[in-house]
C-alpha cells in the first residue's frame, strides 16, 4: 500500500535544523501503530520532545511484527535546491497485522526521538493483512523534502 503524506513532527523540524537529527548518519526505524495511537492530536502540534517511549499503541509483538520496528536504509540528498529525505519500502509478512499509522524515529538519538508519521489509509481506516504481506510503499518523491 502506498503510504499517505508524511507529517514531520514540529519538534523534529527543530532537531533537523540544530543538527540533533543527523539524517544521513543516524539509524532510523519504522514502526506501526494502531488506531488508538493519537499521533495527530498528541504529537504533531507539540513543541515538546516526542519519543518512541511515549507511544502507547504500537502493534503488538508477534504475528510477523517485531516491536521496535524495522531499520531503514535512509538517504538525504540534494538536487537543484531541493533536499530529500527518503528510505526504502518496508514489508511485514504476517499471519495477522492491523495498523493505522507508520512512524519513523531516530534510533541513534539518545531519546529515540520521533521524526514523522503517515496514515496507512486515507479514509482514515485500519489496514490489515491476514496470511499476507503488509508493505508501506514510500512515495517516489521521498518521505519529505525541503526546498
Amino acid at each position: 500500500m502506498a503510504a499517505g503524506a508524511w507529517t514531520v513532527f514540529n519538534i523534529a523540524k527543530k532537531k533537523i535544523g540544530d543538527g540533533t537529527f543527523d539524517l544521513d548518519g543516524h539509524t532510523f526505524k519504522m514502526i506501526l501503530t494502531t488506531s488508538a495511537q493519537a499521533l495527530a492530536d498528541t504529537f504533531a502540534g507539540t513543541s515538546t520532545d516526542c519519543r518512541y517511549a511515549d507511544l502507547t499503541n504500537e502493534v503488538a509483538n508477534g504475528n510477523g511484527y517485531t516491536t521496535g520496528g524495522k531499520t531503514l536504509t535512509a538517504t538525504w540528498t540534494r538536487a537543484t535546491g531541493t533536499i530529500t529525505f527518503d528510505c526504502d519500502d518496508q514489508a511485514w509478512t504476517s499471519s495477522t497485522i492491523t495498523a493505522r499509522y507508520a512512524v519513523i524515529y531516530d534510533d541513534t538519538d539518545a531519546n529515540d526521538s520521533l521524526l514523522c508519521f503517515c496514515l496507512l489509509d486515507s479514509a482514515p481506516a485500519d489496514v490489515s493483512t491476514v496470511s499476507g504481506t503488509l508493505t508501506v510503499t514510500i512515495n517516489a518523491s521521498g518521505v519529505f523534502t525541503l526546498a
Side-chain angles (χ1 to χ4, degrees):
M1 112 209 45
W6 291 85
T7 299
V8 178
F9 295 100
N10 284 339
I11 193 68
K13 294 172 191 174
K14 177 186 177 295
K15 289 181 177 200
I16 291 168
D18 71 14
T20 301
F21 282 152
D22 181 352
L23 294 175
D24 64 353
H26 282 187
T27 298
F28 291 86
K29 289 189 172 185
M30 182 185 294
I31 64 165
L32 302 175
T33 66
T34 68
S35 61
Q37 185 63 57
L39 288 168
D41 298 333
T42 305
F43 295 108
T46 187
S47 60
T48 59
D49 205 5
C50 305
R51 302 175 177 143
Y52 170 74
D54 296 330
L55 299 174
T56 56
N57 291 288
E58 182 175 3
V59 168
N61 195 57
N63 297 317
Y65 184 82
T66 302
T67 53
K70 289 186 166 246
T71 301
L72 304 176
T73 300
T75 59
W76 183 242
T77 57
R78 181 178 67 89
T80 53
T82 299
I83 309 296
T84 303
F85 180 76
D86 198 6
C87 67
D88 52 329
D89 298 343
Q90 295 300 304
W92 288 268
T93 301
S94 74
S95 55
T96 304
I97 291 178
T98 300
R100 171 89 39 114
Y101 299 100
V103 180
I104 296 175
Y105 72 96
D106 184 346
D107 192 43
T108 305
D109 176 63
N111 294 322
D112 290 339
S113 297
L114 305 181
L115 175 61
C116 57
F117 73 95
C118 75
L119 276 168
L120 297 176
D121 180 275
S122 61
D126 290 344
V127 295
S128 298
T129 181
V130 178
S131 299
T133 301
L134 189 150
T135 302
V136 177
T137 304
I138 305 300
N139 186 292
S141 298
V143 176
F144 64 86
T145 60
L146 301 174

